[in-house]
Amino acid sequence: MGISDAFLNEQMYIIAIISIILFIVSCAGLAVFITFRILKKYIDFGDVVCSIHQYSNNGIKYTVNRDNVLLCEKNDYMLVHGDNPYENIQRSIPDQLLKNAEKTGDNL
Amino acid sequence: MAVLCSNCSGRLIFNPATQQLECAACGSKFYPEDVQDINADVHSKYYDTRVYTCAHCGAEVITSDTEVSTFCVYCGNPSINFTRISKECRPDGIVPFQITKEQAVESVKKKFLKNPIIPKEVKAKAVPENFRGIYVPYWVINARFSETDYLSGMVKNDKRDEKRYYQRAGTCSFANVPIDGSSILNDEVSMKLEPFIFNGAKDFDEDYLNGFYSNTSDMTYTGLRESAANRCHKLFADEALTTIPGKKQKLEDSIYWIDIQDDPLYMMMPVWFFTFNYKDKPYTILVNGQTGKVVGTMPWEEKRIYGIGWSLFILFLAVLGTGFVCIALNYALLSGLFNYIITVVIALGTALLVPGIVGINKIVKNLRLTQSDAIFKFVKKRQA
Protein backbone atom coordinates (compact mmCIF):
# COMPACT_ATOMS: atom_id res chain seq x y z
CA MET A 1 0.00 0.00 0.00
CA GLY A 2 1.52 3.35 -1.09
CA ILE A 3 1.58 6.61 0.90
CA SER A 4 -1.17 8.14 -1.22
CA ASP A 5 -3.40 5.09 -0.65
CA ALA A 6 -2.91 5.33 3.12
CA PHE A 7 -3.64 9.05 2.96
CA LEU A 8 -6.76 8.36 0.89
CA ASN A 9 -7.90 5.72 3.36
CA GLU A 10 -7.37 8.12 6.24
CA GLN A 11 -9.35 10.82 4.42
CA MET A 12 -12.15 8.39 3.68
CA TYR A 13 -12.16 7.39 7.31
CA ILE A 14 -12.54 11.04 8.43
CA ILE A 15 -15.22 11.68 5.81
CA ALA A 16 -17.10 8.58 6.95
CA ILE A 17 -16.98 9.70 10.61
CA ILE A 18 -18.15 13.23 9.72
CA SER A 19 -20.94 11.79 7.52
CA ILE A 20 -22.16 9.55 10.34
CA ILE A 21 -22.13 12.43 12.84
CA LEU A 22 -23.95 14.71 10.38
CA PHE A 23 -26.38 11.93 9.64
CA ILE A 24 -27.17 11.35 13.35
CA VAL A 25 -27.40 15.10 14.05
CA SER A 26 -29.85 15.60 11.19
CA CYS A 27 -32.01 12.67 12.34
CA ALA A 28 -31.95 14.05 15.90
CA GLY A 29 -32.77 17.53 14.57
CA LEU A 30 -35.82 16.31 12.69
CA ALA A 31 -37.00 14.20 15.65
CA VAL A 32 -36.50 17.01 18.20
CA PHE A 33 -38.20 19.59 16.01
CA ILE A 34 -41.26 17.42 15.34
CA THR A 35 -41.48 16.55 19.07
CA PHE A 36 -41.37 20.29 19.82
CA ARG A 37 -44.20 20.96 17.34
CA ILE A 38 -46.29 18.18 18.94
CA LEU A 39 -45.73 19.64 22.43
CA LYS A 40 -46.48 23.12 21.17
CA LYS A 41 -49.77 22.00 19.66
CA TYR A 42 -51.03 19.74 22.45
CA ILE A 43 -49.51 21.10 25.65
CA ASP A 44 -48.75 24.81 25.48
CA PHE A 45 -51.90 26.94 25.51
CA GLY A 46 -52.36 30.67 25.11
CA ASP A 47 -48.72 31.53 24.53
CA VAL A 48 -49.70 34.50 22.36
CA VAL A 49 -49.41 38.02 23.69
CA CYS A 50 -50.99 41.19 22.33
CA SER A 51 -49.05 43.44 19.97
CA ILE A 52 -48.62 47.20 20.21
CA HIS A 53 -51.57 47.72 17.85
CA GLN A 54 -53.96 46.44 20.54
CA TYR A 55 -53.11 49.43 22.75
CA SER A 56 -52.03 52.18 20.38
CA ASN A 57 -53.96 53.58 17.43
CA ASN A 58 -51.02 55.37 15.85
CA GLY A 59 -48.21 52.96 16.66
CA ILE A 60 -44.65 54.22 17.10
CA LYS A 61 -43.61 57.63 15.84
CA TYR A 62 -39.96 57.09 15.03
CA THR A 63 -37.58 60.01 15.60
CA VAL A 64 -34.50 57.94 14.75
CA ASN A 65 -34.55 55.17 12.19
CA ARG A 66 -30.98 54.33 11.18
CA ASP A 67 -29.73 51.15 9.58
CA ASN A 68 -26.15 49.89 9.39
CA VAL A 69 -24.76 51.74 12.39
CA LEU A 70 -21.43 50.74 13.84
CA LEU A 71 -21.02 48.76 17.01
CA CYS A 72 -18.77 51.46 18.49
CA GLU A 73 -21.49 54.11 17.96
CA LYS A 74 -23.78 52.41 20.45
CA ASN A 75 -22.70 54.13 23.65
CA ASP A 76 -22.67 57.64 22.11
CA TYR A 77 -26.08 57.00 20.72
CA MET A 78 -27.56 55.76 24.00
CA LEU A 79 -26.02 58.75 25.78
CA VAL A 80 -27.54 61.27 23.37
CA HIS A 81 -31.00 59.84 24.02
CA GLY A 82 -30.39 59.30 27.71
CA ASP A 83 -32.48 62.15 29.18
CA ASN A 84 -35.86 61.45 30.73
CA PRO A 85 -38.35 63.57 28.77
CA TYR A 86 -40.99 63.22 31.51
CA GLU A 87 -38.75 63.90 34.46
CA ASN A 88 -40.54 66.77 36.20
CA ILE A 89 -44.12 65.84 35.44
CA GLN A 90 -46.30 65.32 38.54
CA ARG A 91 -49.36 63.12 38.27
CA SER A 92 -52.27 62.51 40.61
CA ILE A 93 -52.15 59.08 42.22
CA PRO A 94 -55.20 56.92 43.07
CA ASP A 95 -56.00 56.28 46.76
CA GLN A 96 -55.40 52.53 46.61
CA LEU A 97 -51.82 53.08 45.43
CA LEU A 98 -51.22 55.70 48.11
CA LYS A 99 -52.63 53.33 50.75
CA ASN A 100 -50.30 50.56 49.59
CA ALA A 101 -47.36 52.98 49.62
CA GLU A 102 -48.12 53.81 53.27
CA LYS A 103 -48.06 50.11 54.15
CA THR A 104 -44.75 49.49 52.44
CA GLY A 105 -43.13 52.79 53.36
CA ASP A 106 -42.66 53.69 49.70
CA ASN A 107 -42.35 57.48 49.54
CA LEU A 108 -42.81 57.44 45.73
CA MET B 1 -70.78 41.67 52.09
CA ALA B 2 -73.27 39.09 50.78
CA VAL B 3 -76.53 40.52 49.48
CA LEU B 4 -79.66 38.52 50.23
CA CYS B 5 -82.72 37.85 48.11
CA SER B 6 -85.53 40.35 48.78
CA ASN B 7 -88.13 37.57 48.36
CA CYS B 8 -86.76 34.82 50.62
CA SER B 9 -83.49 36.12 52.14
CA GLY B 10 -81.61 33.42 50.24
CA ARG B 11 -78.05 33.86 49.01
CA LEU B 12 -77.65 35.72 45.68
CA ILE B 13 -75.01 34.52 43.25
CA PHE B 14 -73.99 36.32 40.03
CA ASN B 15 -74.63 34.14 36.99
CA PRO B 16 -72.37 35.03 34.03
CA ALA B 17 -74.77 33.37 31.55
CA THR B 18 -77.68 35.69 32.37
CA GLN B 19 -75.57 38.55 33.79
CA GLN B 20 -78.03 38.56 36.70
CA LEU B 21 -77.94 37.75 40.38
CA GLU B 22 -79.82 34.54 41.06
CA CYS B 23 -81.24 33.34 44.34
CA ALA B 24 -79.95 29.90 45.21
CA ALA B 25 -83.13 29.15 47.22
CA CYS B 26 -86.14 30.52 45.30
CA GLY B 27 -84.60 31.14 41.87
CA SER B 28 -85.50 34.86 41.74
CA LYS B 29 -83.35 36.94 39.40
CA PHE B 30 -82.16 40.51 39.81
CA TYR B 31 -79.88 42.83 37.85
CA PRO B 32 -76.91 43.88 40.01
CA GLU B 33 -77.74 47.57 39.47
CA ASP B 34 -81.26 46.99 40.87
CA VAL B 35 -80.15 45.25 44.06
CA GLN B 36 -79.35 47.47 47.01
CA ASP B 37 -77.40 46.26 49.99
CA ILE B 38 -78.68 48.26 52.95
CA ASN B 39 -75.24 48.09 54.57
CA ALA B 40 -73.40 49.33 51.52
CA ASP B 41 -72.84 52.97 50.70
CA VAL B 42 -72.36 53.25 46.95
CA HIS B 43 -70.94 56.74 47.35
CA SER B 44 -68.31 55.56 49.78
CA LYS B 45 -64.73 55.15 48.59
CA TYR B 46 -64.60 51.84 50.44
CA TYR B 47 -66.51 48.57 50.58
CA ASP B 48 -66.60 45.77 53.14
CA THR B 49 -64.94 42.45 52.43
CA ARG B 50 -64.28 39.16 54.22
CA VAL B 51 -60.62 38.23 54.07
CA TYR B 52 -59.56 34.59 54.14
CA THR B 53 -55.97 33.51 54.58
CA CYS B 54 -54.33 30.26 53.55
CA ALA B 55 -52.38 28.82 56.47
CA HIS B 56 -50.09 27.03 54.04
CA CYS B 57 -48.97 29.73 51.59
CA GLY B 58 -50.18 32.87 53.32
CA ALA B 59 -52.25 34.06 50.37
CA GLU B 60 -55.19 36.30 51.12
CA VAL B 61 -58.41 36.13 49.14
CA ILE B 62 -61.50 38.18 49.50
CA THR B 63 -64.97 36.80 49.16
CA SER B 64 -68.47 37.92 49.94
CA ASP B 65 -69.49 34.28 49.85
CA THR B 66 -69.97 32.87 53.33
CA GLU B 67 -69.64 29.30 52.04
CA VAL B 68 -66.02 29.70 51.16
CA SER B 69 -64.07 26.99 49.38
CA THR B 70 -62.40 24.27 51.37
CA PHE B 71 -59.06 24.74 49.60
CA CYS B 72 -56.79 27.64 48.70
CA VAL B 73 -57.38 28.86 45.16
CA TYR B 74 -53.69 29.63 44.76
CA CYS B 75 -51.71 26.73 46.18
CA GLY B 76 -54.48 24.12 46.32
CA ASN B 77 -53.96 23.41 50.03
CA PRO B 78 -57.02 22.63 52.17
CA SER B 79 -56.16 25.05 54.95
CA ILE B 80 -58.03 28.30 54.38
CA ASN B 81 -59.36 30.29 57.34
CA PHE B 82 -61.46 33.41 57.81
CA THR B 83 -59.24 36.11 59.30
CA ARG B 84 -60.99 39.47 59.28
CA ILE B 85 -63.52 41.86 57.81
CA SER B 86 -61.71 44.57 55.94
CA LYS B 87 -62.59 47.86 54.24
CA GLU B 88 -61.07 48.00 50.77
CA CYS B 89 -60.86 50.81 48.22
CA ARG B 90 -63.74 50.66 45.80
CA PRO B 91 -62.48 49.92 42.27
CA ASP B 92 -63.52 52.23 39.42
CA GLY B 93 -64.93 49.46 37.31
CA ILE B 94 -65.41 45.77 36.81
CA VAL B 95 -65.49 43.46 33.79
CA PRO B 96 -68.10 40.91 34.89
CA PHE B 97 -67.62 37.20 34.21
CA GLN B 98 -69.06 36.33 30.78
CA ILE B 99 -67.85 32.73 30.82
CA THR B 100 -69.67 30.41 33.20
CA LYS B 101 -67.85 27.78 35.21
CA GLU B 102 -69.24 25.08 32.92
CA GLN B 103 -67.97 26.96 29.84
CA ALA B 104 -64.54 27.35 31.45
CA VAL B 105 -64.44 23.61 32.17
CA GLU B 106 -65.48 22.94 28.57
CA SER B 107 -62.78 25.30 27.20
CA VAL B 108 -60.14 23.37 29.12
CA LYS B 109 -61.64 19.98 28.24
CA LYS B 110 -61.64 20.92 24.54
CA LYS B 111 -57.87 21.14 24.77
CA PHE B 112 -57.84 17.63 26.26
CA LEU B 113 -59.96 15.99 23.56
CA LYS B 114 -58.00 13.62 21.34
CA ASN B 115 -54.90 14.71 23.22
CA PRO B 116 -52.75 11.63 23.81
CA ILE B 117 -49.97 13.44 25.67
CA ILE B 118 -51.83 14.80 28.70
CA PRO B 119 -51.92 12.20 31.51
CA LYS B 120 -55.33 10.65 32.18
CA GLU B 121 -54.95 11.57 35.83
CA VAL B 122 -54.84 15.28 34.87
CA LYS B 123 -57.75 14.95 32.43
CA ALA B 124 -59.88 13.51 35.23
CA LYS B 125 -59.25 16.61 37.32
CA ALA B 126 -60.96 18.98 34.87
CA VAL B 127 -64.18 19.06 36.89
CA PRO B 128 -66.13 22.13 38.10
CA GLU B 129 -65.04 21.57 41.73
CA ASN B 130 -61.45 22.41 40.75
CA PHE B 131 -62.39 25.71 39.09
CA ARG B 132 -62.57 28.98 41.02
CA GLY B 133 -63.62 32.36 39.66
CA ILE B 134 -61.44 35.22 40.84
CA TYR B 135 -61.64 38.92 40.09
CA VAL B 136 -58.01 39.93 39.64
CA PRO B 137 -57.16 43.63 40.25
CA TYR B 138 -55.72 45.51 37.30
CA TRP B 139 -54.71 49.11 36.67
CA VAL B 140 -55.75 50.34 33.26
CA ILE B 141 -53.39 53.07 32.17
CA ASN B 142 -52.97 55.61 29.42
CA ALA B 143 -49.37 56.62 28.94
CA ARG B 144 -46.86 58.48 26.84
CA PHE B 145 -43.82 56.35 26.24
CA SER B 146 -40.38 57.01 24.76
CA GLU B 147 -37.79 54.40 23.94
CA THR B 148 -34.40 54.17 22.32
CA ASP B 149 -33.31 50.79 21.01
CA TYR B 150 -30.09 49.39 19.67
CA LEU B 151 -30.84 46.28 17.63
CA SER B 152 -29.01 43.71 15.57
CA GLY B 153 -29.87 41.23 12.86
CA MET B 154 -28.12 38.76 10.57
CA VAL B 155 -28.17 39.87 6.93
CA LYS B 156 -26.91 38.03 3.85
CA ASN B 157 -23.87 39.66 2.28
CA ASP B 158 -22.14 37.84 -0.60
CA LYS B 159 -23.77 34.58 0.49
CA ARG B 160 -22.40 35.04 4.00
CA ASP B 161 -24.37 35.99 7.10
CA GLU B 162 -23.23 39.30 8.50
CA LYS B 163 -24.33 40.93 11.74
CA ARG B 164 -25.67 44.44 11.22
CA TYR B 165 -26.70 47.02 13.82
CA TYR B 166 -29.70 49.34 13.82
CA GLN B 167 -30.95 52.27 15.85
CA ARG B 168 -34.57 53.01 16.54
CA ALA B 169 -35.95 55.72 18.78
CA GLY B 170 -39.46 57.01 19.04
CA THR B 171 -42.53 57.80 21.07
CA CYS B 172 -45.83 56.04 21.39
CA SER B 173 -49.14 56.89 23.04
CA PHE B 174 -50.68 53.91 24.75
CA ALA B 175 -54.34 53.66 25.69
CA ASN B 176 -56.13 51.22 27.99
CA VAL B 177 -53.12 49.04 28.77
CA PRO B 178 -54.08 46.61 31.55
CA ILE B 179 -51.39 46.18 34.20
CA ASP B 180 -51.79 43.36 36.69
CA GLY B 181 -52.24 45.17 40.01
CA SER B 182 -51.42 42.26 42.24
CA SER B 183 -47.86 41.32 43.04
CA ILE B 184 -49.11 37.77 43.63
CA LEU B 185 -49.78 36.87 40.02
CA ASN B 186 -46.74 36.55 37.78
CA ASP B 187 -46.79 39.36 35.15
CA GLU B 188 -45.66 36.95 32.43
CA VAL B 189 -48.78 34.88 33.03
CA SER B 190 -51.26 37.74 33.44
CA MET B 191 -49.98 39.26 30.18
CA LYS B 192 -50.97 36.11 28.29
CA LEU B 193 -54.56 36.42 29.56
CA GLU B 194 -55.05 39.55 27.47
CA PRO B 195 -56.91 40.96 25.69
CA PHE B 196 -59.71 42.12 27.98
CA ILE B 197 -62.44 44.00 26.16
CA PHE B 198 -63.31 47.16 28.04
CA ASN B 199 -66.57 47.76 26.18
CA GLY B 200 -68.01 45.13 28.49
CA ALA B 201 -66.87 46.96 31.64
CA LYS B 202 -69.38 48.21 34.24
CA ASP B 203 -69.17 50.65 37.11
CA PHE B 204 -68.00 48.74 40.15
CA ASP B 205 -70.79 47.13 42.13
CA GLU B 206 -69.90 44.57 44.78
CA ASP B 207 -72.94 42.50 43.77
CA TYR B 208 -70.92 41.27 40.78
CA LEU B 209 -68.51 39.68 43.25
CA ASN B 210 -71.19 37.38 44.71
CA GLY B 211 -70.17 33.79 44.18
CA PHE B 212 -66.60 34.71 43.26
CA TYR B 213 -63.34 35.47 44.95
CA SER B 214 -61.44 38.70 44.51
CA ASN B 215 -58.21 40.29 45.47
CA THR B 216 -57.09 43.86 46.06
CA SER B 217 -54.17 45.61 44.46
CA ASP B 218 -51.13 45.57 46.72
CA MET B 219 -49.04 47.60 44.32
CA THR B 220 -47.53 51.03 44.94
CA TYR B 221 -47.28 53.80 42.35
CA THR B 222 -43.57 53.04 41.94
CA GLY B 223 -44.43 49.39 41.30
CA LEU B 224 -47.15 50.35 38.83
CA ARG B 225 -44.78 52.64 36.94
CA GLU B 226 -42.18 49.89 36.79
CA SER B 227 -44.65 47.23 35.58
CA ALA B 228 -46.23 49.64 33.08
CA ALA B 229 -42.81 50.67 31.73
CA ASN B 230 -41.77 47.03 31.31
CA ARG B 231 -45.07 46.17 29.60
CA CYS B 232 -44.85 49.13 27.18
CA HIS B 233 -41.16 48.39 26.58
CA LYS B 234 -42.01 44.85 25.52
CA LEU B 235 -44.70 46.09 23.14
CA PHE B 236 -42.39 48.79 21.72
CA ALA B 237 -39.31 46.56 21.33
CA ASP B 238 -41.29 43.71 19.71
CA GLU B 239 -42.61 46.19 17.15
CA ALA B 240 -39.18 47.81 16.57
CA LEU B 241 -37.66 44.37 15.92
CA THR B 242 -40.11 43.84 13.05
CA THR B 243 -38.70 46.89 11.26
CA ILE B 244 -35.20 45.53 10.83
CA PRO B 245 -34.25 43.20 7.99
CA GLY B 246 -32.59 39.81 8.14
CA LYS B 247 -33.00 37.06 10.66
CA LYS B 248 -32.11 36.41 14.31
CA GLN B 249 -33.17 39.94 15.20
CA LYS B 250 -32.07 40.84 18.69
CA LEU B 251 -32.53 43.72 21.07
CA GLU B 252 -28.98 44.60 22.11
CA ASP B 253 -29.69 47.52 24.42
CA SER B 254 -32.48 49.93 25.24
CA ILE B 255 -33.51 52.80 27.47
CA TYR B 256 -37.09 53.88 28.02
CA TRP B 257 -39.27 56.29 29.96
CA ILE B 258 -42.95 56.37 30.77
CA ASP B 259 -45.39 59.08 31.75
CA ILE B 260 -48.57 57.52 33.14
CA GLN B 261 -51.46 59.93 32.61
CA ASP B 262 -53.55 61.09 35.56
CA ASP B 263 -55.70 58.67 37.53
CA PRO B 264 -55.22 55.21 36.08
CA LEU B 265 -58.41 53.16 36.40
CA TYR B 266 -58.63 50.53 39.11
CA MET B 267 -60.48 47.60 37.53
CA MET B 268 -61.44 44.05 38.43
CA MET B 269 -60.95 41.45 35.68
CA PRO B 270 -62.52 37.99 35.65
CA VAL B 271 -60.25 34.93 35.62
CA TRP B 272 -61.06 31.25 36.18
CA PHE B 273 -58.35 29.34 38.06
CA PHE B 274 -58.13 25.59 37.43
CA THR B 275 -55.89 24.24 40.19
CA PHE B 276 -54.75 20.63 40.45
CA ASN B 277 -51.90 18.51 41.76
CA TYR B 278 -49.87 16.17 39.59
CA LYS B 279 -46.94 14.17 40.93
CA ASP B 280 -47.02 16.22 44.15
CA LYS B 281 -46.72 19.51 42.31
CA PRO B 282 -49.52 22.09 42.17
CA TYR B 283 -50.44 23.43 38.73
CA THR B 284 -52.73 26.29 37.78
CA ILE B 285 -54.30 26.78 34.38
CA LEU B 286 -56.03 30.13 33.85
CA VAL B 287 -59.06 30.91 31.72
CA ASN B 288 -59.92 34.50 30.79
CA GLY B 289 -63.40 34.91 32.30
CA GLN B 290 -64.46 37.29 29.54
CA THR B 291 -63.08 35.72 26.35
CA GLY B 292 -62.53 32.09 27.39
CA LYS B 293 -58.84 32.11 26.39
CA VAL B 294 -57.00 29.24 28.09
CA VAL B 295 -53.49 30.01 29.37
CA GLY B 296 -51.04 27.49 30.72
CA THR B 297 -48.86 24.53 29.91
CA MET B 298 -50.16 21.11 30.82
CA PRO B 299 -47.93 18.45 32.34
CA TRP B 300 -47.27 15.68 29.86
CA GLU B 301 -46.89 11.93 29.88
CA GLU B 302 -43.08 11.75 29.89
CA LYS B 303 -42.87 8.15 28.72
CA ARG B 304 -45.09 8.94 25.75
CA ILE B 305 -43.07 12.00 24.73
CA TYR B 306 -39.78 10.12 25.00
CA GLY B 307 -41.42 7.32 23.00
CA ILE B 308 -42.48 9.74 20.24
CA GLY B 309 -39.03 11.38 20.17
CA TRP B 310 -37.11 8.09 19.97
CA SER B 311 -39.53 6.60 17.42
CA LEU B 312 -39.08 9.61 15.16
CA PHE B 313 -35.31 9.42 15.57
CA ILE B 314 -35.22 5.72 14.65
CA LEU B 315 -37.62 6.30 11.75
CA PHE B 316 -35.44 9.06 10.26
CA LEU B 317 -32.34 6.97 10.95
CA ALA B 318 -33.85 4.09 8.96
CA VAL B 319 -35.12 6.25 6.07
CA LEU B 320 -31.99 8.36 5.71
CA GLY B 321 -29.78 5.32 6.33
CA THR B 322 -31.45 3.50 3.44
CA GLY B 323 -30.91 6.60 1.31
CA PHE B 324 -27.23 6.67 2.21
CA VAL B 325 -26.81 3.00 1.38
CA CYS B 326 -28.53 3.54 -1.99
CA ILE B 327 -26.17 6.40 -2.77
CA ALA B 328 -23.13 4.44 -1.59
CA LEU B 329 -24.01 1.44 -3.72
CA ASN B 330 -24.85 3.75 -6.60
CA TYR B 331 -28.34 2.31 -6.76
CA ALA B 332 -31.32 3.92 -8.39
CA LEU B 333 -31.21 5.42 -11.79
CA LEU B 334 -32.58 8.60 -10.21
CA SER B 335 -29.38 8.99 -8.27
CA GLY B 336 -29.02 12.71 -9.07
CA LEU B 337 -32.47 13.59 -7.75
CA PHE B 338 -32.04 11.11 -4.91
CA ASN B 339 -28.76 12.69 -3.81
CA TYR B 340 -30.37 16.09 -3.92
CA ILE B 341 -33.31 15.01 -1.74
CA ILE B 342 -31.07 13.33 0.83
CA THR B 343 -28.80 16.39 0.96
CA VAL B 344 -31.77 18.72 1.49
CA VAL B 345 -33.23 16.50 4.26
CA ILE B 346 -29.86 16.32 6.04
CA ALA B 347 -29.36 20.08 5.77
CA LEU B 348 -32.91 20.66 7.01
CA GLY B 349 -32.52 18.24 9.92
CA THR B 350 -29.24 19.83 11.01
CA ALA B 351 -30.74 23.32 10.75
CA LEU B 352 -33.82 22.33 12.80
CA LEU B 353 -31.89 20.90 15.74
CA VAL B 354 -31.26 24.24 17.45
CA PRO B 355 -34.82 25.67 16.96
CA GLY B 356 -36.18 22.34 18.22
CA ILE B 357 -34.07 22.42 21.40
CA VAL B 358 -34.83 26.13 21.97
CA GLY B 359 -38.56 25.47 21.46
CA ILE B 360 -38.65 22.54 23.89
CA ASN B 361 -36.73 24.61 26.47
CA LYS B 362 -39.33 27.36 26.11
CA ILE B 363 -42.16 24.88 26.66
CA VAL B 364 -40.42 23.48 29.75
CA LYS B 365 -40.04 27.08 31.01
CA ASN B 366 -43.77 27.67 30.38
CA LEU B 367 -44.58 24.43 32.23
CA ARG B 368 -42.61 25.65 35.26
CA LEU B 369 -44.56 28.90 35.03
CA THR B 370 -47.80 26.91 35.20
CA GLN B 371 -46.65 25.32 38.43
CA SER B 372 -48.32 27.38 41.12
CA ASP B 373 -45.18 28.29 43.00
CA ALA B 374 -43.99 30.18 39.91
CA ILE B 375 -47.35 31.72 39.02
CA PHE B 376 -47.83 33.04 42.50
CA LYS B 377 -44.69 34.74 43.70
CA PHE B 378 -45.89 35.04 47.27
CA VAL B 379 -45.80 31.29 47.78
CA LYS B 380 -42.04 31.22 47.53
CA LYS B 381 -41.72 34.50 49.39
CA ARG B 382 -43.87 33.44 52.36
CA GLN B 383 -42.43 29.97 52.58
CA ALA B 384 -38.87 31.24 52.67
Side-chain angles (χ1 to χ4, degrees):
Chain A
M1 192 182 288
I3 295 169
S4 60
D5 283 348
F7 178 69
L8 208 61
N9 277 346
E10 197 176 310
Q11 266 196 333
M12 285 303 288
Y13 181 71
I14 293 167
I15 288 170
I17 296 283
I18 291 172
S19 302
I20 289 167
I21 291 171
L22 198 65
F23 173 60
I24 291 172
V25 166
S26 61
C27 290
L30 288 167
V32 166
F33 189 77
I34 294 173
T35 308
F36 154 61
R37 294 307 305 174
I38 290 170
L39 284 174
K40 185 84 195 150
K41 185 172 179 191
Y42 290 108
I43 293 291
D44 204 18
F45 308 132
D47 195 29
V48 181
V49 290
C50 292
S51 76
I52 199 167
H53 305 291
Q54 180 79 32
Y55 302 116
S56 175
N57 291 331
N58 306 320
I60 300 171
K61 281 184 190 160
Y62 287 104
T63 50
V64 176
N65 201 336
R66 285 180 59 201
D67 291 353
N68 300 330
V69 294
L70 301 172
L71 182 60
C72 60
E73 287 180 282
K74 183 187 133 185
N75 290 336
D76 295 342
Y77 171 72
M78 299 307 265
L79 207 65
V80 167
H81 293 275
D83 290 326
N84 184 351
Y86 312 122
E87 200 167 15
N88 297 315
I89 296 173
Q90 295 292 320
R91 293 288 184 191
S92 66
I93 300 170
D95 288 346
Q96 178 69 38
L97 295 172
L98 290 172
K99 194 177 147 193
N100 293 337
E102 276 172 25
K103 278 186 201 165
T104 57
D106 184 347
N107 59 7
L108 306 173
Chain B
M1 305 299 265
V3 180
L4 302 177
C5 173
S6 55
N7 297 332
C8 71
S9 298
R11 208 156 51 93
L12 291 177
I13 302 284
F14 180 73
N15 183 352
T18 57
Q19 294 289 298
Q20 285 180 305
L21 291 161
E22 291 182 5
C23 176
C26 71
S28 303
K29 292 179 181 177
F30 308 91
Y31 283 102
E33 306 84 57
D34 300 337
V35 174
Q36 283 194 338
D37 179 358
I38 49 167
N39 297 317
D41 176 5
V42 288
H43 302 296
S44 168
K45 278 183 168 183
Y46 301 94
Y47 70 109
D48 291 329
T49 56
R50 297 170 70 88
V51 180
Y52 288 77
T53 309
C54 172
H56 181 250
C57 70
E60 285 187 343
V61 285
I62 289 167
T63 178
S64 55
D65 196 345
T66 47
E67 289 178 23
V68 75
S69 147
T70 50
F71 68 88
C72 174
V73 288
Y74 294 116
C75 72
N77 228 274
S79 50
I80 185 158
N81 304 310
F82 171 72
T83 45
R84 66 180 189 279
I85 288 176
S86 166
K87 275 199 182 297
E88 296 295 340
C89 277
R90 182 178 282 273
D92 297 302
I94 187 166
V95 174
F97 273 90
Q98 305 279 334
I99 302 289
T100 63
K101 186 183 271 192
E102 290 70 27
Q103 286 170 326
V105 176
E106 275 311 302
S107 300
V108 172
K109 274 189 173 171
K110 238 185 233 172
K111 304 280 182 188
F112 289 173
L113 278 177
K114 294 177 187 170
N115 192 329
I117 306 165
I118 296 175
K120 279 182 187 163
E121 194 186 332
V122 174
K123 287 181 185 178
K125 286 179 177 166
V127 289
E129 294 75 50
N130 289 336
F131 283 70
R132 291 283 173 274
I134 301 188
Y135 281 105
V136 177
Y138 272 76
W139 292 96
V140 179
I141 61 149
N142 296 330
R144 289 187 300 167
F145 185 77
S146 300
E147 175 156 333
T148 295
D149 289 336
Y150 193 73
L151 313 149
S152 68
M154 301 299 280
V155 180
K156 277 250 180 284
N157 187 18
D158 287 339
K159 294 181 181 174
R160 282 189 312 119
D161 280 340
E162 189 181 285
K163 194 171 190 178
R164 295 245 173 104
Y165 294 90
Y166 305 86
Q167 295 171 346
R168 298 284 184 270
T171 57
C172 186
S173 292
F174 286 101
N176 293 332
V177 184
I179 306 293
D180 169 16
S182 153
S183 62
I184 291 170
L185 196 59
N186 191 313
D187 287 353
E188 253 187 89
V189 178
S190 58
M191 203 164 71
K192 290 179 186 174
L193 280 167
E194 296 168 23
F196 287 101
I197 299 145
F198 295 108
N199 291 343
K202 309 267 184 193
D203 284 340
F204 180 76
D205 186 331
E206 50 261 59
D207 295 337
Y208 285 108
L209 305 180
N210 286 356
F212 299 96
Y213 296 84
S214 63
N215 223 319
T216 49
S217 172
D218 55 358
M219 189 178 243
T220 64
Y221 190 67
T222 313
L224 173 65
R225 202 164 44 200
E226 196 180 313
S227 290
N230 288 339
R231 181 79 182 96
C232 293
H233 161 60
K234 185 166 176 12
L235 292 165
F236 189 108
D238 284 352
E239 178 65 13
L241 280 168
T242 64
T243 65
I244 66 170
K247 52 188 179 180
K248 293 184 184 168
Q249 292 98 334
K250 192 178 160 197
L251 179 66
E252 297 280 339
D253 203 353
S254 63
I255 39 174
Y256 48 88
W257 307 271
I258 192 163
D259 170 33
I260 298 174
Q261 308 288 294
D262 280 340
D263 294 327
L265 289 177
Y266 183 24
M267 300 282 287
M268 290 287 176
M269 306 295 190
V271 183
W272 287 104
F273 285 54
F274 166 36
T275 314
F276 60 91
N277 277 293
Y278 177 66
K279 290 190 176 172
D280 294 331
K281 280 187 181 157
Y283 291 83
T284 303
I285 303 292
L286 306 180
V287 182
N288 182 320
Q290 188 186 29
T291 61
K293 181 183 181 186
V294 180
V295 173
T297 305
M298 291 286 179
W300 57 74
E301 198 90 71
E302 276 182 22
K303 276 184 193 166
R304 199 156 281 177
I305 282 296
Y306 283 130
I308 291 171
W310 279 109
S311 307
L312 286 167
F313 179 69
I314 290 163
L315 178 77
F316 286 120
L317 215 57
V319 172
L320 290 182
T322 313
F324 257 141
V325 171
C326 288
I327 292 169
L329 299 178
N330 217 358
Y331 267 2
L333 296 170
L334 295 167
S335 62
L337 178 65
F338 202 72
N339 283 356
Y340 178 73
I341 292 170
I342 293 288
T343 312
V344 167
V345 172
I346 286 178
L348 190 72
T350 312
L352 289 177
L353 182 64
V354 174
I357 292 171
V358 170
I360 288 178
N361 275 339
K362 199 180 167 209
I363 290 175
V364 170
K365 190 187 149 215
N366 285 348
L367 179 72
R368 289 203 186 114
L369 209 56
T370 300
Q371 287 167 0
S372 304
D373 55 352
I375 282 194
F376 309 116
K377 290 174 192 163
F378 71 88
V379 175
K380 275 190 282 190
K381 195 172 75 187
R382 303 253 170 122
Q383 282 174 347

